Amino acid sequence: MANLLITGGAGFIGGNFVHFWSKHHPADQLVVLDALTYAGNRSTIEGVEQCELIEGDIRDQTLVQRLLSERDIDTIVHFAAESHVDRSITGPDAFIDTNILGTNCLLKAARKVWLDEGGGREHRFHHISTDEVFGSLTADEPAFSETTAYAPNSPYSASKAASDHLVRAYHHTYGLQVTTSNCSNNYGPYQYPEKLIPLFLLNALSGRPLPIYGDGMNVRDWLHVEDHCRGIEACIERGKIGETYNIGGGAELPNMAVIDAICLEVDRAFARNEALVKRYPDAPAAQGRETSELKTFVEDRAGHDRRYAIDETKARRDLGYAPQRSFEQGLAQSLRWYLDNEAWWRPLLAV
């Protein structure tokens, strides 16, 4: 039995991880530390009996140390982060505070409790990072590997790169037992509707424009959040201390292809289920029109990286990781989840 501290566990990826880990490791105890900012939601993890939610800030080192000691924590899974690139462009300070200073506080607390006071007891600090730390690729460049040089291009990715370096430094300097994973674009249930897939779905349901940056041909690798959780589990259980692993979804697609797929899935959903017409009368699909009519091109985002791609060879070889969902399957499942769980996302639209 393990005792996990999951930072940011009421957020999108962290919340999905809570559900995943509790299902696959029912004997483990989970403590979630979440500041419950706009992207944190208590309802995401309601009903998980083995999970205790603590509202607090990862920058509160005293609180973190107390939780590590009192709950006998042996594993930290660190999701807590400001993660929206657009927000980092207009307000970078929050990203410096949470992603860099917050990670440093967690590392200091872990060092004190596990190494200074704990006599070097077995432990794990697993840090979740992003493929954005590697910068942007041209169309013909090879995918990011774990040895790709860092070249972050936004305040968000720069802050995540800094946190990655801190985790590495605490391992090499102090001997903290760490692993890091760099993931590609996540999608799935419980995602806050500022990210592409839930934003475009909810806009489609209400007949609002689908804003497409630039020419819509920026390329990302898409990873279903449950496959990501499976990859994190593999890192924790089989990852080598001090190593980094890339976790991808094997679905490298331009944004326009993703947007077209969303439009098509919405149209299909309305064609299959007449009740949606009454629930969402403002949707073009409820009026016999195509959702794609809502596509609207807008000015490109500042410093918009052109392409990300993940080489997950190392994770496949060393951890036995492989995504289990195709993008088509994952997208269809995700859209069904949002249609079935309006009570979860509707209150967020007023935030």
Side-chain angles (χ1 to χ4, degrees):
M1 186 180 80
N3 297 323
L4 281 67
L5 176 66
I6 303 170
T7 72
F12 165 45
I13 307 177
N16 275 279
F17 181 79
V18 167
H19 286 281
F20 176 88
W21 197 271
S22 64
K23 176 182 177 181
H24 293 275
H25 305 269
D28 290 356
Q29 296 300 309
L30 311 180
V31 178
V32 167
L33 177 60
D34 200 297
L36 297 177
T37 61
Y38 77 95
N41 193 332
R42 291 178 182 273
S43 65
T44 295
I45 54 176
E46 280 182 355
V48 181
E49 293 183 359
Q50 70 208 72
C51 173
E52 176 188 9
L53 173 60
I54 305 295
E55 183 175 356
D57 197 312
I58 59 172
R59 294 172 297 175
D60 186 344
Q61 185 179 339
T62 301
L63 171 61
V64 175
Q65 288 175 197
R66 178 169 59 81
L67 292 175
L68 294 180
S69 297
E70 293 181 356
R71 305 305 195 276
D72 195 27
I73 301 294
D74 51 50
T75 304
I76 295 175
V77 191
H78 178 31
F79 293 96
E82 295 285 346
S83 65
H84 192 45
V85 174
D86 287 12
R87 288 177 183 265
S88 82
I89 293 170
T90 57
D93 288 359
F95 290 74
I96 304 302
D97 288 345
T98 298
N99 299 354
I100 301 178
L101 300 180
T103 299
N104 188 49
C105 280
L106 284 174
L107 290 165
K108 288 193 294 182
R111 177 193 172 198
K112 183 173 181 59
V113 174
W114 287 340
L115 300 182
D116 297 345
E117 299 174 354
R121 59 171 292 184
E122 287 299 310
H123 61 270
R124 179 67 64 90
F125 186 111
H126 183 73
H127 175 60
I128 288 83
S129 189
T130 170
D131 57 1
E132 297 194 39
V133 298
F134 300 119
S136 183
L137 296 168
T138 61
D140 56 354
E141 283 185 297
F144 302 131
S145 74
E146 290 80 0
T147 59
T148 300
Y150 276 30
N153 290 321
S154 70
Y156 161 61
S157 57
S159 67
K160 288 298 290 183
S163 68
D164 294 2
H165 293 320
L166 283 170
V167 172
R168 173 185 171 87
Y170 267 74
H171 168 64
H172 285 274
T173 302
Y174 305 114
L176 200 67
Q177 296 172 12
V178 308
T179 43
T180 295
S181 54
N182 294 78
C183 68
S184 52
N185 267 33
N186 279 230
Y187 68 98
Y190 302 110
Q191 188 169 30
Y192 189 82
E194 65 184 357
K195 300 297 179 75
L196 192 152
I197 289 177
L199 173 66
F200 277 46
L201 168 62
L202 302 189
N203 277 14
L205 295 179
S206 62
R208 295 195 298 269
L210 308 181
I212 304 168
Y213 280 135
D215 62 2
M217 297 308 291
N218 299 75
V219 175
R220 302 292 184 263
D221 175 67
W222 292 87
L223 171 65
H224 190 277
V225 66
E226 186 168 323
D227 282 329
H228 185 195
C229 292
R230 188 173 295 107
I232 295 168
E233 177 189 49
C235 289
I236 294 171
E237 294 184 339
R238 299 184 291 280
K240 183 179 178 181
I241 299 299
E243 290 293 317
T244 297
Y245 300 92
N246 281 351
I247 307 296
E252 188 180 339
L253 297 167
N255 286 345
M256 189 61 74
V258 174
I259 294 163
D260 287 341
I262 295 170
C263 293
L264 182 59
E265 284 295 330
V266 171
D267 291 344
R268 287 173 174 169
F270 275 76
R272 289 192 301 263
N273 186 354
E274 293 184 0
L276 294 178
V277 174
K278 293 183 178 180
R279 287 173 60 189
Y280 306 108
D282 294 327
Q287 303 164 11
R289 296 155 43 214
E290 294 183 349
T291 301
S292 60
E293 295 178 14
L294 297 173
K295 293 193 295 187
T296 304
F297 289 92
V298 299
E299 184 178 354
D300 204 359
R301 182 170 69 198
H304 199 177
D305 289 339
R306 189 63 174 175
R307 172 177 170 247
Y308 304 147
I310 282 281
D311 179 353
E312 60 195 35
T313 301
K314 180 178 177 181
R316 288 177 179 268
R317 181 192 66 227
D318 296 353
L319 306 178
Y321 165 78
Q324 295 185 2
R325 284 180 176 82
S326 68
F327 178 74
E328 293 74 19
Q329 293 170 330
L331 179 64
Q333 292 169 352
S334 299
L335 297 192
R336 284 198 300 271
W337 186 89
Y338 281 93
L339 290 173
D340 291 342
N341 290 274
E342 183 175 350
W344 181 85
W345 56 260
R346 178 65 69 181
L348 302 181
L349 301 184
V351 175

